Amino acid sequence: MLRFIDRYRGLILLACLQVLPAVAQNASVSENPAVIPAETAPPISESPPTPFGFDELLDRARSGNPQWAAAQTLPLAAQGEVLQAGMRPNPVIGLGTGIEAPFRNTGTSLSWSQELELGGKRQARLEAAQARLEAAQRQAQEVERELLLELRNAYVELLYSQALEALKSEALELSERSLTLTRGRLDAGDVAGVDVMQFEVQVAQRRSEFEETRGRVLAAQALLNRLVGEPSGIPISVRGELGKSYSLPELLVLQQISDGRADLLLADARARAAEREIAVQETRGISNLTTTLGIGRERTYIDGDAISPRGIISNINDSGWTASLQLSIPLPINDTNRGNIEKARAEAEGTRLTREATQQIVRGEVAQAHAQWSAASRSLEPLQESNLENARQAQRIVEESYKLGYRTLYDVLQSRQQYLELRQAQLDARRSLDLALARIEAAIGQPLGDNQP
């Protein structure tokens, strides 16, 4: 025993420094810190909710997410704009009457006026509105693409958090089991009290890690609740496989596929709409022709007795119909729409440059996502199940040897830490692989076949 203490003097001193504050704090509870009762890990859930697959979450999001639903109204509003653009000016009907003194001349007239649009105004408006309709449809698709990426990331995060929670729960259980075993060996005089103290420290650390992971699960559940439009009080659990293996097309192929991405098509549609708007503004400078058709009836009555001296003229009572045709058009002396034309041209140039910038961004996102996926794949290769099983078996052998007194506490802690770190590294690599896949699919604007996690 003395040789053991002398050999691991530094490790024992470090453990004492770590646990002395805790021992002092709990001195009133127990005189012997080696027999502090260990708490058991709280149950994860008495009645776990039914786990959802990604496709089920996607269906719920499409029916319950208000942002998703709001995006679908954009094309409806643009369809109303197309309908409005095709409207023609309404005719104007006029009715008038008048009396002219002193001879009581009366007249009644009816007129019909129609403004005729010249220069292709209506056609230009229709083409511009249809281009904006296409842009609205692409905008809705872009909102869906962004929400799909957010949903995929939240799904992978919850899947990872659930797996990490199970790992931390297992680590806590292992530490508590070792603490119970070491207390028994302490009572038998096989180990020193410092061994118990170290396992107590480890149990506290594992419990803290477990609770932290529980909080991570709750945060991921809250995010998924929001994305699918469910009440935040109802927890969501998910099912699936992290880091599912799949084959990925070459980078050049992925970039070619990305040419059909929603935001790139949106930039194209906005550029076309801006070009059409130039034609709309140019046609507005062309004057419209207004035609007016009129028909009237005039009646003239003169009382001869009212003229002095009487008898000069006889009574006059006459009436007749009149018809008229009038054409009017403003003189285009001043270009009253020049400012709007210059504005439309500047906006068209801006949308063209935006389209070029969007294409560069899309290509860059594809390349970045592909690089992340490649790095995640390489990091996952050494973390195969065979290596993980070897670490698990080594950890069990060391623990059994410790029970029999052939291994030291340091060996147990070292083998267990190696096993847990290897498992978490595998989880981290699988999570990175799935997140990279989600970014690739968002970057190219479509799913990659059956590669859903």
Side-chain angles (χ1 to χ4, degrees):
M1 179 65 69
L2 292 176
R3 281 187 299 173
F4 172 81
I5 295 176
D6 183 65
R7 180 180 180 184
Y8 296 103
R9 182 180 304 167
L11 183 62
I12 293 173
L13 179 60
L14 177 61
C16 292
L17 291 176
Q18 290 178 336
V19 301
L20 280 177
V23 173
Q25 183 178 0
N26 294 283
S28 60
V29 179
S30 175
E31 296 181 358
N32 185 2
V35 294
I36 298 176
E39 299 180 6
T40 58
I44 295 175
S45 177
E46 296 181 357
S47 56
T50 303
F52 293 98
F54 179 75
D55 290 338
E56 294 170 316
L57 290 174
L58 182 58
D59 292 338
R60 284 175 170 263
R62 282 174 171 161
S63 61
N65 188 305
Q67 186 178 358
W68 207 304
Q72 308 311 310
T73 65
L74 298 176
L76 298 178
Q79 288 174 358
E81 187 179 357
V82 172
L83 179 63
Q84 182 64 34
M87 295 295 178
R88 301 178 184 274
N90 284 319
V92 178
I93 187 171
L95 178 65
T97 184
I99 300 176
E100 183 181 352
F103 303 118
R104 290 189 293 175
N105 291 340
T106 61
T108 302
S109 62
L110 178 67
S111 64
W112 180 281
S113 299
Q114 176 67 58
E115 183 180 13
L116 302 177
E117 292 183 308
L118 303 179
K121 290 186 176 65
R122 179 173 175 271
Q123 183 63 29
R125 288 198 309 270
L126 276 172
E127 291 178 355
Q130 289 169 351
R132 284 190 287 270
L133 171 60
E134 181 186 356
Q137 293 170 341
R138 301 303 184 187
Q139 178 67 36
Q141 294 173 0
E142 172 62 11
V143 172
E144 181 172 348
R145 185 189 71 87
E146 293 174 350
L147 287 176
L148 182 60
L149 174 60
E150 191 175 3
L151 184 66
R152 280 287 303 278
N153 287 341
Y155 167 78
V156 171
E157 184 63 29
L158 181 53
L159 198 63
Y160 167 78
S161 299
Q162 290 176 174
L164 188 61
E165 180 186 37
L167 175 60
K168 297 300 183 182
S169 178
E170 179 185 350
L172 177 59
E173 183 181 354
L174 287 173
S175 297
E176 289 179 334
R177 191 168 63 225
S178 297
L179 176 59
T180 302
L181 171 65
T182 307
R183 282 173 175 164
R185 292 187 62 186
L186 176 65
D187 294 338
D190 292 338
V191 298
V194 68
D195 287 6
V196 176
M197 296 164 63
Q198 278 198 287
F199 273 119
E200 286 175 345
V201 172
Q202 188 184 69
V203 167
Q205 180 183 356
R206 299 304 184 203
R207 187 178 303 281
S208 175
E209 292 173 353
F210 175 79
E211 294 299 334
E212 181 183 2
T213 308
R214 283 289 298 153
R216 184 169 186 160
V217 170
L218 294 176
Q221 287 176 333
L223 177 57
L224 267 182
N225 277 327
R226 179 181 67 81
L227 292 176
V228 302
E230 293 287 345
S232 59
I234 302 177
I236 290 180
S237 63
V238 295
R239 65 177 186 272
E241 179 185 352
L242 271 176
K244 183 178 178 182
S245 60
Y246 51 86
S247 58
L248 196 67
E250 296 293 333
L251 176 58
L252 182 60
V253 176
L254 292 175
Q255 289 180 333
Q256 291 174 348
I257 297 175
S258 69
D259 289 339
R261 201 170 108 170
D263 55 346
L264 192 55
L265 297 178
L266 172 61
D268 288 335
R270 285 177 172 171
R272 286 192 293 272
E275 290 292 335
R276 300 292 188 275
E277 185 62 25
I278 296 176
V280 170
Q281 298 301 330
E282 289 177 343
T283 57
R284 284 182 179 177
I286 301 175
S287 301
N288 292 336
L289 177 65
T290 302
T291 63
T292 304
L293 296 175
I295 185 172
R297 180 176 175 83
E298 295 183 357
R299 179 174 178 272
T300 301
Y301 174 76
I302 299 176
D303 185 2
D305 293 337
I307 302 299
S308 180
R310 293 184 178 181
I312 295 179
I313 61 173
S314 58
N315 294 339
I316 299 176
N317 187 2
D318 191 15
S319 62
W321 292 91
T322 61
S324 63
L325 172 64
Q326 181 179 354
L327 301 176
S328 61
I329 185 171
L331 295 177
I333 297 176
N334 298 317
D335 189 355
T336 58
N337 207 45
R338 183 174 181 178
N340 291 331
I341 294 173
E342 295 299 324
K343 175 185 175 182
R345 288 174 177 169
E347 290 177 348
E349 178 65 13
T351 56
R352 184 187 66 80
L353 296 174
T354 299
R355 196 272 178 198
E356 294 179 359
T358 302
Q359 186 173 32
Q360 293 180 359
I361 292 173
V362 169
R363 294 295 176 92
E365 288 181 358
V366 173
Q368 183 180 9
H370 186 272
Q372 291 174 342
W373 177 86
S374 299
S377 299
R378 290 192 299 270
S379 67
L380 187 59
E381 287 177 1
L383 305 173
Q384 300 302 322
E385 289 298 328
S386 58
N387 295 331
L388 189 63
E389 183 60 27
N390 290 338
R392 184 185 292 111
Q393 290 296 335
Q395 184 246 337
R396 290 174 180 171
I397 292 173
V398 171
E399 285 192 353
E400 291 298 324
S401 300
Y402 176 73
K403 292 179 183 178
L404 300 174
Y406 297 115
R407 288 282 187 166
T408 65
L409 172 64
Y410 176 80
D411 296 331
V412 174
L413 297 178
Q414 186 75 7
S415 64
R416 182 176 298 170
Q417 185 68 20
Q418 184 180 30
Y419 165 67
L420 294 175
E421 287 180 355
L422 190 63
R423 282 195 60 184
Q424 180 158 355
Q426 186 188 60
L427 282 178
D428 293 342
R430 291 180 181 276
R431 170 179 174 267
S432 299
L433 197 66
D434 283 347
L435 291 177
L437 174 62
R439 293 189 185 98
I440 288 176
E441 292 185 339
I444 65 177
Q446 64 182 55
L448 290 170
D450 298 329
N451 296 327
Q452 299 286 358

